[in-house]
Amino acid sequence: MPSLPGDGTREAARRWLVHLRVAGVSRVRTLFTHHPRYADLTPVQYAEGLEWLRRTGLVSPSGRPAVNVGEGLPLDDADVPHVLWNAEDDERRSATGTAGERCLLALLRQAGLASVEHVSAVSDAFGYDIAATMPPDERLHLEVKATTDPTRLVVHLSRHESDVMSADPRWIMGAVLVGRDGAALSVATVSRSWLLSVIPQDRSQRGTWESVRLDVPPEALEPGLIMEDGKSVLPGGSCATHGVWGMAAREAVSG
């Protein structure tokens, strides 16, 4: 990594890393320009700080911070921050998510479900990834979370996905274990009641949560794709492998 710039520009860079975790570049720039708390540094120093972060890869081209720097921590060579983001990991997660969606699309079509649609390929506004029709005429809205790790299941839920889940009884979350060849090794359903019990609650009208990271326990998983009324979506629980993500040999109880 190139040598660090001067103290003022370095402090500007640290502030960028802190505030870019919750807002975009234009809004943070406005904050630095207009709020008296940040008037101790010049606009040039803030511009140089952001340019240095981009040049060294500490901020992505889209404005995402690659490291976690606390409010009171200095940014120096002696203390390397914990990396939150890099391009390779981002591409890998995206590829895994896409593979998981393709796996479930194929399984649903093989199961003979009607009108299987990959709606997230059209827009993220739906709040789920796949829409399908169960016989005789029951709609299914499936949010897909995919991973390559069979030992633990960690999912990220957006505020929009949570709001849709709360309002839509046809919404279910399916977790897919993706193999090296891109095929589904296992499929499980994450309990809706468990999700509803752990999502954050806003404490003020002035602040709202936007996304949450959830470590799903084995007891909140049920092998296969299971609707709220207990009906199995996939015949024979296709790709329902016990032992994945800590699920016991018997079917896990949704809770």
PDB file of all heavy atoms in Angstrom, residues 212-233:
ATOM      1  N   VAL A 212     -29.795  -6.499   7.804  1.00  0.00           N
ATOM      2  CA  VAL A 212     -29.354  -7.198   8.997  1.00  0.00           C
ATOM      3  C   VAL A 212     -28.695  -8.515   8.588  1.00  0.00           C
ATOM      4  O   VAL A 212     -29.105  -9.171   7.623  1.00  0.00           O
ATOM      5  CB  VAL A 212     -30.541  -7.458   9.964  1.00  0.00           C
ATOM      6  CG1 VAL A 212     -31.615  -8.329   9.324  1.00  0.00           C
ATOM      7  CG2 VAL A 212     -30.067  -8.075  11.270  1.00  0.00           C
ATOM      8  N   ARG A 213     -27.654  -8.885   9.309  1.00  0.00           N
ATOM      9  CA  ARG A 213     -26.943 -10.145   9.092  1.00  0.00           C
ATOM     10  C   ARG A 213     -27.412 -11.139  10.149  1.00  0.00           C
ATOM     11  O   ARG A 213     -27.353 -10.859  11.344  1.00  0.00           O
ATOM     12  CB  ARG A 213     -25.436  -9.908   9.206  1.00  0.00           C
ATOM     13  CG  ARG A 213     -24.569 -11.151   9.057  1.00  0.00           C
ATOM     14  CD  ARG A 213     -23.116 -10.776   9.283  1.00  0.00           C
ATOM     15  NE  ARG A 213     -22.222 -11.910   9.149  1.00  0.00           N
ATOM     16  CZ  ARG A 213     -21.931 -12.763  10.106  1.00  0.00           C
ATOM     17  NH1 ARG A 213     -22.502 -12.618  11.303  1.00  0.00           N
ATOM     18  NH2 ARG A 213     -21.088 -13.763   9.903  1.00  0.00           N
ATOM     19  N   LEU A 214     -27.872 -12.301   9.711  1.00  0.00           N
ATOM     20  CA  LEU A 214     -28.449 -13.287  10.613  1.00  0.00           C
ATOM     21  C   LEU A 214     -27.683 -14.606  10.540  1.00  0.00           C
ATOM     22  O   LEU A 214     -27.472 -15.144   9.449  1.00  0.00           O
ATOM     23  CB  LEU A 214     -29.923 -13.531  10.265  1.00  0.00           C
ATOM     24  CG  LEU A 214     -30.843 -12.310  10.286  1.00  0.00           C
ATOM     25  CD1 LEU A 214     -32.223 -12.679   9.754  1.00  0.00           C
ATOM     26  CD2 LEU A 214     -30.935 -11.734  11.693  1.00  0.00           C
ATOM     27  N   ASP A 215     -27.309 -15.121  11.696  1.00  0.00           N
ATOM     28  CA  ASP A 215     -26.681 -16.439  11.795  1.00  0.00           C
ATOM     29  C   ASP A 215     -27.792 -17.421  12.146  1.00  0.00           C
ATOM     30  O   ASP A 215     -28.273 -17.450  13.275  1.00  0.00           O
ATOM     31  CB  ASP A 215     -25.602 -16.420  12.879  1.00  0.00           C
ATOM     32  CG  ASP A 215     -24.598 -17.542  12.715  1.00  0.00           C
ATOM     33  OD1 ASP A 215     -24.980 -18.601  12.190  1.00  0.00           O
ATOM     34  OD2 ASP A 215     -23.434 -17.364  13.111  1.00  0.00           O
ATOM     35  N   VAL A 216     -28.211 -18.220  11.178  1.00  0.00           N
ATOM     36  CA  VAL A 216     -29.402 -19.050  11.341  1.00  0.00           C
ATOM     37  C   VAL A 216     -29.064 -20.334  12.115  1.00  0.00           C
ATOM     38  O   VAL A 216     -28.208 -21.112  11.684  1.00  0.00           O
ATOM     39  CB  VAL A 216     -30.006 -19.427   9.969  1.00  0.00           C
ATOM     40  CG1 VAL A 216     -31.309 -20.206  10.158  1.00  0.00           C
ATOM     41  CG2 VAL A 216     -30.245 -18.176   9.128  1.00  0.00           C
ATOM     42  N   PRO A 217     -29.739 -20.603  13.242  1.00  0.00           N
ATOM     43  CA  PRO A 217     -29.469 -21.820  14.015  1.00  0.00           C
ATOM     44  C   PRO A 217     -30.151 -23.033  13.391  1.00  0.00           C
ATOM     45  O   PRO A 217     -31.131 -22.890  12.646  1.00  0.00           O
ATOM     46  CB  PRO A 217     -30.069 -21.494  15.383  1.00  0.00           C
ATOM     47  CG  PRO A 217     -31.210 -20.578  15.063  1.00  0.00           C
ATOM     48  CD  PRO A 217     -30.751 -19.747  13.888  1.00  0.00           C
ATOM     49  N   PRO A 218     -29.664 -24.237  13.670  1.00  0.00           N
ATOM     50  CA  PRO A 218     -30.256 -25.453  13.089  1.00  0.00           C
ATOM     51  C   PRO A 218     -31.749 -25.595  13.370  1.00  0.00           C
ATOM     52  O   PRO A 218     -32.496 -26.062  12.509  1.00  0.00           O
ATOM     53  CB  PRO A 218     -29.455 -26.585  13.750  1.00  0.00           C
ATOM     54  CG  PRO A 218     -28.167 -25.956  14.159  1.00  0.00           C
ATOM     55  CD  PRO A 218     -28.495 -24.539  14.511  1.00  0.00           C
ATOM     56  N   GLU A 219     -32.191 -25.161  14.561  1.00  0.00           N
ATOM     57  CA  GLU A 219     -33.596 -25.338  14.912  1.00  0.00           C
ATOM     58  C   GLU A 219     -34.528 -24.438  14.109  1.00  0.00           C
ATOM     59  O   GLU A 219     -35.748 -24.626  14.135  1.00  0.00           O
ATOM     60  CB  GLU A 219     -33.810 -25.111  16.410  1.00  0.00           C
ATOM     61  CG  GLU A 219     -33.416 -23.744  16.909  1.00  0.00           C
ATOM     62  CD  GLU A 219     -31.981 -23.683  17.403  1.00  0.00           C
ATOM     63  OE1 GLU A 219     -31.168 -24.544  17.007  1.00  0.00           O
ATOM     64  OE2 GLU A 219     -31.682 -22.754  18.184  1.00  0.00           O
ATOM     65  N   ALA A 220     -33.973 -23.465  13.395  1.00  0.00           N
ATOM     66  CA  ALA A 220     -34.800 -22.586  12.558  1.00  0.00           C
ATOM     67  C   ALA A 220     -34.822 -23.055  11.107  1.00  0.00           C
ATOM     68  O   ALA A 220     -35.324 -22.342  10.242  1.00  0.00           O
ATOM     69  CB  ALA A 220     -34.276 -21.157  12.629  1.00  0.00           C
ATOM     70  N   LEU A 221     -34.322 -24.255  10.852  1.00  0.00           N
ATOM     71  CA  LEU A 221     -34.257 -24.797   9.491  1.00  0.00           C
ATOM     72  C   LEU A 221     -35.085 -26.063   9.359  1.00  0.00           C
ATOM     73  O   LEU A 221     -35.131 -26.891  10.274  1.00  0.00           O
ATOM     74  CB  LEU A 221     -32.807 -25.110   9.115  1.00  0.00           C
ATOM     75  CG  LEU A 221     -31.866 -23.916   8.959  1.00  0.00           C
ATOM     76  CD1 LEU A 221     -30.422 -24.393   8.899  1.00  0.00           C
ATOM     77  CD2 LEU A 221     -32.223 -23.126   7.715  1.00  0.00           C
ATOM     78  N   GLU A 222     -35.716 -26.206   8.211  1.00  0.00           N
ATOM     79  CA  GLU A 222     -36.447 -27.428   7.891  1.00  0.00           C
ATOM     80  C   GLU A 222     -36.019 -27.883   6.503  1.00  0.00           C
ATOM     81  O   GLU A 222     -36.078 -27.100   5.546  1.00  0.00           O
ATOM     82  CB  GLU A 222     -37.947 -27.181   7.934  1.00  0.00           C
ATOM     83  CG  GLU A 222     -38.756 -28.469   7.800  1.00  0.00           C
ATOM     84  CD  GLU A 222     -40.215 -28.266   8.160  1.00  0.00           C
ATOM     85  OE1 GLU A 222     -40.585 -27.140   8.560  1.00  0.00           O
ATOM     86  OE2 GLU A 222     -40.987 -29.229   8.034  1.00  0.00           O
ATOM     87  N   PRO A 223     -35.559 -29.120   6.360  1.00  0.00           N
ATOM     88  CA  PRO A 223     -35.087 -29.593   5.055  1.00  0.00           C
ATOM     89  C   PRO A 223     -36.163 -29.506   3.981  1.00  0.00           C
ATOM     90  O   PRO A 223     -37.344 -29.780   4.231  1.00  0.00           O
ATOM     91  CB  PRO A 223     -34.703 -31.048   5.323  1.00  0.00           C
ATOM     92  CG  PRO A 223     -34.415 -31.105   6.787  1.00  0.00           C
ATOM     93  CD  PRO A 223     -35.387 -30.130   7.415  1.00  0.00           C
ATOM     94  N   GLY A 224     -35.773 -29.108   2.785  1.00  0.00           N
ATOM     95  CA  GLY A 224     -36.707 -28.969   1.682  1.00  0.00           C
ATOM     96  C   GLY A 224     -37.309 -27.575   1.636  1.00  0.00           C
ATOM     97  O   GLY A 224     -36.902 -26.676   2.371  1.00  0.00           O
ATOM     98  N   LEU A 225     -38.268 -27.389   0.753  1.00  0.00           N
ATOM     99  CA  LEU A 225     -39.009 -26.127   0.679  1.00  0.00           C
ATOM    100  C   LEU A 225     -40.403 -26.364   1.234  1.00  0.00           C
ATOM    101  O   LEU A 225     -41.187 -27.110   0.652  1.00  0.00           O
ATOM    102  CB  LEU A 225     -39.101 -25.632  -0.770  1.00  0.00           C
ATOM    103  CG  LEU A 225     -37.863 -24.950  -1.349  1.00  0.00           C
ATOM    104  CD1 LEU A 225     -38.143 -24.495  -2.774  1.00  0.00           C
ATOM    105  CD2 LEU A 225     -37.425 -23.775  -0.487  1.00  0.00           C
ATOM    106  N   ILE A 226     -40.714 -25.735   2.365  1.00  0.00           N
ATOM    107  CA  ILE A 226     -41.958 -25.984   3.080  1.00  0.00           C
ATOM    108  C   ILE A 226     -42.750 -24.685   3.214  1.00  0.00           C
ATOM    109  O   ILE A 226     -42.229 -23.686   3.713  1.00  0.00           O
ATOM    110  CB  ILE A 226     -41.691 -26.569   4.486  1.00  0.00           C
ATOM    111  CG1 ILE A 226     -40.687 -27.731   4.410  1.00  0.00           C
ATOM    112  CG2 ILE A 226     -42.992 -26.986   5.141  1.00  0.00           C
ATOM    113  CD1 ILE A 226     -41.164 -28.910   3.583  1.00  0.00           C
ATOM    114  N   MET A 227     -44.008 -24.706   2.801  1.00  0.00           N
ATOM    115  CA  MET A 227     -44.861 -23.537   2.930  1.00  0.00           C
ATOM    116  C   MET A 227     -45.372 -23.408   4.359  1.00  0.00           C
ATOM    117  O   MET A 227     -45.211 -24.333   5.178  1.00  0.00           O
ATOM    118  CB  MET A 227     -46.009 -23.623   1.933  1.00  0.00           C
ATOM    119  CG  MET A 227     -45.541 -23.673   0.473  1.00  0.00           C
ATOM    120  SD  MET A 227     -46.897 -23.614  -0.715  1.00  0.00           S
ATOM    121  CE  MET A 227     -47.432 -21.901  -0.529  1.00  0.00           C
ATOM    122  N   GLU A 228     -46.003 -22.276   4.653  1.00  0.00           N
ATOM    123  CA  GLU A 228     -46.476 -22.001   6.015  1.00  0.00           C
ATOM    124  C   GLU A 228     -47.481 -23.038   6.507  1.00  0.00           C
ATOM    125  O   GLU A 228     -47.562 -23.336   7.687  1.00  0.00           O
ATOM    126  CB  GLU A 228     -47.103 -20.611   6.078  1.00  0.00           C
ATOM    127  CG  GLU A 228     -46.104 -19.482   6.267  1.00  0.00           C
ATOM    128  CD  GLU A 228     -45.372 -19.574   7.597  1.00  0.00           C
ATOM    129  OE1 GLU A 228     -46.001 -19.344   8.645  1.00  0.00           O
ATOM    130  OE2 GLU A 228     -44.173 -19.898   7.588  1.00  0.00           O
ATOM    131  N   ASP A 229     -48.266 -23.618   5.599  1.00  0.00           N
ATOM    132  CA  ASP A 229     -49.254 -24.623   6.003  1.00  0.00           C
ATOM    133  C   ASP A 229     -48.662 -26.030   6.092  1.00  0.00           C
ATOM    134  O   ASP A 229     -49.387 -27.004   6.303  1.00  0.00           O
ATOM    135  CB  ASP A 229     -50.438 -24.622   5.031  1.00  0.00           C
ATOM    136  CG  ASP A 229     -50.011 -24.924   3.587  1.00  0.00           C
ATOM    137  OD1 ASP A 229     -48.814 -25.223   3.361  1.00  0.00           O
ATOM    138  OD2 ASP A 229     -50.866 -24.863   2.694  1.00  0.00           O
ATOM    139  N   GLY A 230     -47.327 -26.133   5.949  1.00  0.00           N
ATOM    140  CA  GLY A 230     -46.658 -27.420   6.057  1.00  0.00           C
ATOM    141  C   GLY A 230     -46.552 -28.184   4.753  1.00  0.00           C
ATOM    142  O   GLY A 230     -45.970 -29.276   4.716  1.00  0.00           O
ATOM    143  N   LYS A 231     -47.083 -27.645   3.667  1.00  0.00           N
ATOM    144  CA  LYS A 231     -47.044 -28.330   2.376  1.00  0.00           C
ATOM    145  C   LYS A 231     -45.646 -28.252   1.779  1.00  0.00           C
ATOM    146  O   LYS A 231     -45.023 -27.197   1.744  1.00  0.00           O
ATOM    147  CB  LYS A 231     -48.056 -27.693   1.424  1.00  0.00           C
ATOM    148  CG  LYS A 231     -48.163 -28.396   0.073  1.00  0.00           C
ATOM    149  CD  LYS A 231     -49.072 -27.629  -0.871  1.00  0.00           C
ATOM    150  CE  LYS A 231     -50.475 -27.514  -0.296  1.00  0.00           C
ATOM    151  NZ  LYS A 231     -51.391 -26.796  -1.230  1.00  0.00           N
ATOM    152  N   SER A 232     -45.154 -29.407   1.308  1.00  0.00           N
ATOM    153  CA  SER A 232     -43.840 -29.453   0.672  1.00  0.00           C
ATOM    154  C   SER A 232     -43.943 -28.982  -0.770  1.00  0.00           C
ATOM    155  O   SER A 232     -44.814 -29.419  -1.516  1.00  0.00           O
ATOM    156  CB  SER A 232     -43.269 -30.875   0.719  1.00  0.00           C
ATOM    157  OG  SER A 232     -42.015 -30.933   0.050  1.00  0.00           O
ATOM    158  N   VAL A 233     -43.053 -28.081  -1.166  1.00  0.00           N
ATOM    159  CA  VAL A 233     -43.060 -27.542  -2.515  1.00  0.00           C
ATOM    160  C   VAL A 233     -42.377 -28.490  -3.490  1.00  0.00           C
ATOM    161  O   VAL A 233     -42.813 -28.667  -4.628  1.00  0.00           O
ATOM    162  CB  VAL A 233     -42.362 -26.169  -2.546  1.00  0.00           C
ATOM    163  CG1 VAL A 233     -42.273 -25.628  -3.967  1.00  0.00           C
ATOM    164  CG2 VAL A 233     -43.096 -25.181  -1.637  1.00  0.00           C
TER     165      VAL A 233
END
